[in-house]
Amino acid sequence: MSGSTDRKQRVISRFQRHLANPVNRRLPFQTLLETTGRTSGLPRTTPVGGRRVGDSFWLVSEFGYRSQYVRNIQADPRVRVRIAGRWHRGTAHLLPDDDPVARLRSLPRFNSMAVRAFGTGLLTVRVDLEG
């Protein structure tokens, strides 16, 4: 990854971690992805944009395998997703063979525009929801 790409990810990640995510986590209908911290073992909650389709929830990670929540999924794919204020348990699957740009066209427009604009290594994630 180039220096400018690394710098872009650091700036965006810092903004999200310290400003956007703390605010978004408090919004009652913000979609949240909860993973288990790969080192701490503690729940880690990340605001995400995506869409439920049947028994699956689809999203695109803007930093792909460099996203902390993707790294947590690699260590433990059991997750929870809060959709419209309700928590659902599920199993996350990383889909490197899926076309993330095409996938974004089927997801909520505003979030998809931000992911395309700021993303540096897009990766599709599907969460198969339980019951």
Side-chain angles (χ1 to χ4, degrees):
M1 199 169 283
S2 74
S4 65
T5 301
D6 286 341
R7 191 170 26 262
K8 179 180 179 181
Q9 181 183 351
R10 279 195 311 274
V11 168
I12 293 166
S13 293
R14 207 169 281 135
F15 169 78
Q16 289 172 334
R17 185 178 312 117
H18 298 293
L19 288 161
N21 289 355
V23 170
N24 286 331
R25 279 188 200 99
R26 289 184 167 89
L27 299 175
F29 286 96
Q30 169 66 50
T31 302
L32 300 174
L33 175 68
E34 183 184 86
T35 60
T36 300
R38 63 193 175 282
T39 303
S40 69
L42 298 173
R44 300 296 183 200
T45 307
T46 306
V48 295
R51 175 167 283 137
R52 182 175 184 162
V53 179
D55 291 332
S56 295
F57 181 80
W58 292 84
L59 67 128
V60 174
S61 168
E62 65 191 331
F63 300 124
Y65 290 102
R66 295 179 63 148
S67 291
Q68 296 301 314
Y69 70 85
V70 168
R71 296 166 108 187
N72 289 341
I73 288 168
Q74 287 178 303
D76 182 354
R78 294 170 300 165
V79 301
R80 291 193 322 150
V81 183
R82 187 178 78 178
I83 306 166
R86 183 168 173 253
W87 285 100
H88 306 267
R89 294 190 181 282
T91 303
H93 303 275
L94 307 178
L95 303 173
D97 294 331
D98 190 70
D99 180 349
V101 174
R103 180 68 56 193
L104 285 169
R105 288 194 280 276
S106 70
L107 300 179
R109 186 179 311 268
F110 180 74
N111 182 75
S112 295
M113 288 175 11
V115 169
R116 273 194 303 272
F118 300 121
T120 58
L122 306 181
L123 174 67
T124 301
V125 180
R126 185 188 76 232
V127 177
D128 294 335
L129 304 171
E130 298 173 7

